[in-house]
Amino acid sequence: MGMIKMNIEAVLAQSSRIAQARTDVSGVKSAVDSVNHRLEQSIRSRYNIGARLSSASAQLERIQNQLLRIQSTVEAGANGYYSADMAASLRARQFPNNP
């Protein structure tokens, strides 16, 4: 079986990029919600603009939730890999003739 080496720092750096993407999506969602609430009812009802803005806001919220799940998976995977790597290294040191 081949050896797999993961760059934990690089993986966790992606986690911070995902967090930044969540922040960006949150800002866009807030802007969409703000526009929707500032529009007069007559304008919101024209061409179903209010419902479309609400739908866009809901989609942005789903994206935020998906990004959160991705971030959690990335972090859990990196931490799990690190723990397994440390445990394997400790066990390998218990055997003679092992560096």
Side-chain angles (χ1 to χ4, degrees):
M1 185 160 111
M3 178 185 265
I4 298 173
K5 266 306 205 190
M6 183 193 296
N7 185 339
I8 301 293
E9 286 127 14
V11 172
L12 292 176
Q14 297 308 309
S15 178
S16 67
R17 291 180 69 189
I18 295 168
Q20 181 59 50
R22 280 183 38 232
T23 301
D24 294 345
V25 170
S26 177
V28 172
K29 182 186 178 312
S30 293
V32 168
D33 289 340
S34 176
V35 167
N36 196 18
H37 289 103
R38 287 187 309 198
L39 290 175
E40 293 178 14
Q41 180 59 38
S42 61
I43 295 173
R44 276 193 301 201
S45 62
R46 191 178 306 152
Y47 301 111
N48 213 13
I49 291 173
R52 291 177 187 201
L53 288 171
S54 294
S55 175
S57 177
Q59 288 174 355
L60 288 165
E61 187 169 352
R62 282 192 294 276
I63 291 169
Q64 281 180 291
N65 292 333
Q66 290 171 347
L67 287 169
L68 180 59
R69 286 194 303 269
I70 291 169
Q71 182 181 12
S72 297
T73 301
V74 165
E75 290 173 357
N79 291 330
Y81 172 85
Y82 180 76
S83 296
D85 191 44
M86 289 289 105
S89 293
L90 287 174
R91 286 192 179 183
R93 288 186 202 143
Q94 294 174 349
F95 294 101
N97 300 327
N98 222 347

